[in-house]
């Protein structure tokens, strides 16, 4: 797995490189220190996962993520920050970031990278507990207008819980292929991009 690390603290970058590459099968292929460098390095290196801070000089991680996702909608961006600001979490979710974890929880960094690399969304426990409250601050729309079947709502509930396709398949007695197909249909029906946005939709409108 190839990782691009972007953080304005050079000591943090060095520490992350040591932690990540201790795994043996993960390589840090580039290091940047602001959002502009993140964009340039992403274009050049095409990493499997971009691990990036939010508060940085010149350009923030959120601004860089928006620019990168405009270039490549499949970009896997994992935010690693010390801040639990509601505004940052909401923006990260709306952008389509694949994860948001806290630096202090350093033991979760490598597992989060592996999960994001295979397409899962990862949010630290501190963030997970805040998401429903943040989303429910907005007025939900009538469920009927979304034209979702009961089975589709059950599947959405599992996605919002953070279950993998295999776990969803086992809980609903379906094949993994059927789960993938149904998620694709729901994404198209709701005009959403990924599982993170599906989870947001669920908490806002169906929970």
């Amino acid at each position: 797995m190839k990782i691009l690390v972007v953080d304005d603290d050079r000591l943090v970058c060095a520490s992350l490189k040591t932690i990540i590459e201790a795994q043996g099968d993960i390589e840090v292929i580039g290091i940047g220190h602001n959002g502009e460098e993140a964009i340039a390095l992403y274009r050049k290196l095409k990493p499997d996962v971009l691990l990036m801070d939010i508060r940085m000089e010149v350009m923030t991680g959120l601004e860089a993520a928006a620019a990168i996702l405009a270039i490549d909608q499949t970009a896997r961006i994992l935010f690693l920050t010390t801040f639990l600001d509601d505004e940052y979490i909401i923006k990260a979710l709306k952008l389509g970031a694949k994860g948001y974890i806290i630096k202090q929880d350093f033991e979760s960094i490598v597992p989060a990278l592996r999960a994001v690399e295979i397409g899962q969304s990862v949010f630290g426990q501190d963030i997970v507990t805040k998401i429903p409250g943040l989303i429910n601050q907005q007025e939900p729309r009538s469920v009927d207008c979304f034209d979702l079947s009961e089975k589709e709502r059950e599947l959405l509930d599992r996605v919002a819980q953070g279950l993998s396709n295999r776990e969803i398949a086992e809980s609903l007695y379906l094949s993994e292929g059927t789960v993938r197909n149904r998620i694709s249909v729901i994404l198209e029906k709701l005009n959403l991009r990924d599982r993170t946005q599906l989870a947001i939709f669920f908490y806002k409108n169906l929970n």
Side-chain angles (χ1 to χ4, degrees):
M1 189 195 320
K2 297 179 179 180
I3 308 299
L4 171 59
V5 173
V6 179
D7 193 294
D8 60 354
D9 188 323
R10 295 176 186 272
L11 181 59
V12 168
C13 288
S15 299
L16 287 172
K17 179 177 172 65
T18 299
I19 292 170
I20 292 168
E21 293 192 336
Q23 302 301 306
D25 62 335
I26 310 179
E27 178 186 4
V28 175
I29 58 173
I31 291 177
H33 303 293
N34 61 60
E36 287 187 354
E37 291 183 6
I39 297 169
L41 288 169
Y42 185 89
R43 285 177 179 268
K44 178 181 179 181
L45 302 174
K46 294 293 190 293
D48 294 313
V49 181
L50 167 55
L51 180 65
M52 182 163 55
D53 195 4
I54 288 182
R55 284 191 190 176
M56 297 183 289
E57 295 183 0
V58 183
M59 178 185 285
T60 70
L62 291 168
E63 292 169 334
I68 290 169
L69 287 165
I71 298 167
D72 179 8
Q73 291 188 354
T74 66
R76 297 182 176 95
I77 300 174
L78 174 61
F79 285 116
L80 178 66
T81 180
T82 58
F83 303 102
L84 277 170
D85 300 48
D86 292 354
E87 180 183 358
Y88 289 165
I89 296 171
I90 291 172
K91 285 183 177 179
L93 290 168
K94 288 184 175 179
L95 279 173
K98 295 299 182 183
Y100 190 121
I101 57 178
I102 302 301
K103 286 180 180 177
Q104 293 88 328
D105 188 14
F106 67 92
E107 292 181 350
S108 71
I109 294 173
V110 170
L113 287 171
R114 293 190 187 281
V116 168
E117 196 270 336
I118 62 173
Q120 296 181 3
S121 297
V122 179
F123 295 90
Q125 188 58 43
D126 291 336
I127 286 80
V128 170
T129 57
K130 291 169 72 73
I131 289 175
L134 294 175
I135 295 170
N136 288 333
Q137 290 174 7
Q138 306 175 46
E139 189 67 27
R141 294 160 61 188
S142 169
V143 172
D144 295 335
C145 70
F146 298 116
D147 190 28
L148 293 172
S149 68
E150 188 60 37
K151 290 184 177 180
E152 287 173 328
R153 295 182 195 182
E154 289 180 358
L155 194 151
L156 273 175
D157 175 69
R158 269 60 170 192
V159 170
Q161 292 176 40
L163 301 184
S164 66
N165 284 350
R166 176 178 295 180
E167 291 169 329
I168 294 173
E170 290 174 352
S171 69
L172 296 179
Y173 304 102
L174 301 169
S175 70
E176 286 189 61
T178 298
V179 170
R180 282 195 297 271
N181 291 338
R182 289 189 179 179
I183 288 176
S184 296
V185 169
I186 295 171
L187 286 169
E188 184 175 354
K189 181 183 290 188
L190 299 177
N191 194 29
L192 299 176
R193 183 166 50 199
D194 54 31
R195 296 170 77 98
T196 301
Q197 292 190 348
L198 282 178
I200 294 172
F201 172 88
F202 175 84
Y203 281 122
K204 182 179 177 182
N205 299 287
L206 303 179
N207 189 32

